[in-house]
Amino acid sequence: MEPDADTSTPGRITRDDVAYVARLARLNLTDFELDGFTGQLADVLDHAADIEALDLDGVAPTSHPLPLSNVFRADVPTVGPAEEANHRLFCDEVIAAAPAAEESRFRVPPVLGEAP
Amino acid sequence: MTSETVSEMDGWEVVIGLEVHAELATATKLFSGARNEFGGEPNTNIDPVSLGLPGSLPVLNEKAVELAIRVGLALNCSVQESEFARKNYFYPDMPKDFQISQFDQPINGEGWLELPDGRRIGIERAHLEEDTGKSTHVGGGGRIHEASYSLVDYNRAGVPLIEIVGKPDLRSGDDARAYVSELRSILVAIGASDGKMEEGSMRVDCNVSVRPVGEDELGTRCEVKNINSLRSLGRAVTYESRRQVDLITSGQKVDQQTRHWNEEDGRTHTLRSKEEAFDYRYFPEPDLVPVAPSAEWIDEIRAAMPLLPGERRHRLAEEAGIQPAAAALAVERGLDGLALASMDLGADPARVLVHVENNLADGQGALTADAFAALVSMETGGDLTATQAKTVLADLVDSGGDPAAVAATHGFETMDTSELEGFVDGLIAEHPDDWEAFVVGDEDERRKKSGFFVGQVMKATRGQADGRVVNEILERLAAGT
């Protein structure tokens, strides 16, 4: 396929797209930032779009750069009887570090709606 | 008859597809060595990975993969190369703000499950994912929308789950219950999960839609969450399908929604509409590499699988010469092995199954296949009546032993035919009108009167007579031989 200056334009990321993704990621962006990031993200995506110029029929999508699969751990608890005391200290420390806790549980603001 | 066949549902078909989450029976979590156990003290089965602490990295639990493959094989799925993906959302039950799940490449592709009645229900996929932490809403009577704050326990966060997505092949609440019940039996049989709905180790989300009978296109569906028992599942389907039919017949339309089942008021309530649906921004999990189970590994796992409930039903049905559906109760009670063994020893299959279904509801106890076979043979040979056999069987279940000896302790001696004839002669003399009615009556009348005479003989002999023999005597006398 011939690289074509117009191919990336129709799908070019818009300011609204960036605002939407920012909202999903709970990021508060100023108008100035939105403008800046829209341009930057568009450049990044244009760079990725260069790949479209290649003939990739028969090449499986790659989700990982390493030629590895089946990396496992055995189903064995990390904490055995000998580590139990230290582990309790870790748990206590974690709870103590929370902004708020109650009955060994993390106390969080009320959440509207059910978990997805 | 299903619970939906009420008048207002006439002309409507209910279409149900279920998503079942089951916690896998591993010792540790899906991506770390924290313990996977139910009911521990809050926030004790945690570690940096379960808490999503910065810098912590997931490493896949091999046992969880093996159990997932077992589930796939048991559900006749294609077991395939798979990848993990991040499902992004902000909710305190997932401290790292995404759940690691599988998206476009699940470990198990399409398959099917056979219900006890022989129908096949399609399986879309069965994939691996991690469970979330558990939130308790405080204030507002525990209701989510009115809670003043929530408490989170991460013991469950990261516990391996298999999510089994069924096709919309179910047509009633009874179907849905039968499907979940069969699925649970399978998961338990293969050791993949304990299947305890009451402890939340098996959870059901239910997609319901309705359409006019004969319509091919699916109606707009609603997903019902928070179903915690088989009974709730049936009730939720009934309520939700009626709600949708009511909407349509009153000129409104069904909105695609996620709804929450409330056990107390027996209704479903809106959680969110399609417009509010989450955009999870799935993308491949960069910290995990693909899982590509080799054919050898899959074969090895297959070879170690026990017989599944469906296979056991077919095996028993074949041996007993019955339909697989008729063998369902025996398999459900785990008594198919006993039944088969006693049949192999020559016991009459029909009598064996009658006892399994009517007299062994609490399991076989101390009863052995040898004793069971001997007992059934005594019964079919006429040495024990059905009532006596039931009594002896109860003793054998309680404390074992030899059926002949147990029968003797109860004084169960066979009454010989001449003794019985004496009883029958006496009764005929006492009840001449009934006897006349028996002799000249039509089939119905004869059945009624023979029931009367057999009952009287049983009473007179305190249940020691064999009803079949009494009937033979009556027939013979009536025929004047």
Side-chain angles (χ1 to χ4, degrees), chain B residues 304-346:
Chain B
M305 298 262 284
L307 274 185
L308 300 173
E311 294 168 328
R312 286 162 54 188
R313 283 195 298 269
H314 283 284
R315 185 179 59 160
L316 179 58
E318 206 167 295
E319 179 78 21
I322 54 173
Q323 290 297 310
L329 193 55
V331 171
E332 199 183 306
R333 291 183 172 164
L335 296 173
D336 50 317
L338 173 76
L340 281 171
S342 55
M343 287 175 197
D344 281 348
L345 292 165

Side-chain angles (χ1 to χ4, degrees), chain A residues 20 24 63-64 68-70 72-73 75-79 87-88 102 104-108 110-111 113-116, chain B residues 27-29 32-33 35 41 43-44 46 60-62 83 90-91 144 148-152 279-280 286 290 292:
Chain A
Y20 174 68
L24 288 177
S63 65
H64 207 279
L68 275 178
S69 59
N70 299 339
F72 298 130
R73 39 170 280 274
D75 185 27
V76 178
T78 320
V79 177
H87 178 65
R88 293 307 287 252
E102 206 173 295
S104 299
R105 289 176 293 180
F106 297 92
R107 181 174 163 155
V108 298
V111 195
E114 174 106 325
Chain B
T28 64
K29 294 189 176 179
S32 73
R35 281 200 175 80
E41 241 179 278
N43 290 307
T44 51
I46 53 172
L60 184 57
N61 182 339
E62 182 170 24
E83 280 179 5
F90 291 90
Y91 198 83
I144 301 158
S148 47
Y149 59 94
S150 301
L151 296 174
V152 194
D279 179 343
Y280 294 118

Side-chain angles (χ1 to χ4, degrees), chain B residues 456-476:
Chain B
Q456 290 294 317
V457 175
M458 286 296 181
K459 208 166 136 192
T461 60
R462 286 200 219 96
Q464 298 218 16
D466 186 334
R468 230 166 5 126
V469 177
V470 176
N471 257 319
E472 281 167 18
I473 296 171
L474 288 169
E475 292 291 341
R476 207 164 55 227

